[in-house]
Amino acid sequence: MPDIISSDLLLILLPIMVIQLILMIVALVDWVKAEETNGPKWVWLVIILLLNIIGPVIYFIFGRRQK
Amino acid sequence: MQWTTLFKKELLENWRNKKWIWFPLVMILIAIMDPLTTYYMPLIIDAVGGMPEGTVFELPEFTPTDVIMMSLGQYSIIGVIVIALISMGTIAGERKSGVSELILVKPVSYKNYILSKWASLNVLVWFAACLGLFASWYYVNILFGELSFLALLQIIFFYGLWLTFVLSLSIFYNALLKSPGLILFATIATIVTMSIVTQIFSHVLSWSPNKLSSHIIEMLQTDQIGSALWGAAVITVALSIGLIISAIYIFRKKEMAA
């Protein structure tokens, strides 16, 4: 029984996890390419990696520096 | 044509700063979160545990209409904040960095400048809202029961007008104010104030833009588009156009003075 539950739960979370993964990868690629960010660069890496979903989004909104 | 060039430039810029990637993803996420967690709530409670043996939960039955309205409810809160966030610097940021001066020193009309910004963000917001609500509709159909495709199109159309209104409000404040943070605050404060006023005077203000969602529920339940929904839609469009015209007027006046 516990196995069924966990595989079902996995199925629920799958779309959310995929979206989260894409967000994180896009944010990371952008972070690597960026020469400068608003504030120290390494802080943004921590934010992108550690804060699920919200991390990449706040990086895109606040971290990128307009040229 | 000048307008097309500016419009393409805006689309390209929104692509370069990755708004075209993350904003639709976030809108999908917001939209599907509630249908999924609502359906699997018993499973989630089981998996998280901590319930004494024999606890029985009476979970209410949800109709497809209830669930898709949950997605709209999330859009009305988180969605509006994210839209305000992506649009808060669209003109104010360019003013700060001096890009707007570079553009406006050429014979670019203020009207085209503001309209291109408004239109390009509208395309992005509508695209993202379509994707998100489609995803939500898909899950609702699988998990909760049938909701017709026509109903989805109607929801997208009428709710999209509300999102356009939020965007127009933000562009208006962009023309008026200089700091992106202030624009964000003003946009959200205006929306909140409007919703409070609409709630208090709800019997008089049945055509207020804030009432669009509740009219959409009625539409889904009665299966026909009521006159109140059309009224609210017309008022929303009219207010959006009014905001954009005032934005152009204010922007022209301010730039002339500067």
Side-chain angles (χ1 to χ4, degrees), chain A residues 33-48:
Chain A
K33 281 188 187 165
E35 281 166 29
E36 265 185 285
T37 53
N38 282 331
K41 212 178 161 184
W42 64 269
V43 175
W44 285 110
L45 180 66
V46 177
I47 290 174
I48 293 170

Side-chain angles (χ1 to χ4, degrees), chain B residues 127-141:
Chain B
F127 171 76
C130 281
L131 278 185
L133 288 174
F134 182 80
S136 165
W137 174 80
Y138 174 78
Y139 277 116
V140 166
N141 267 306

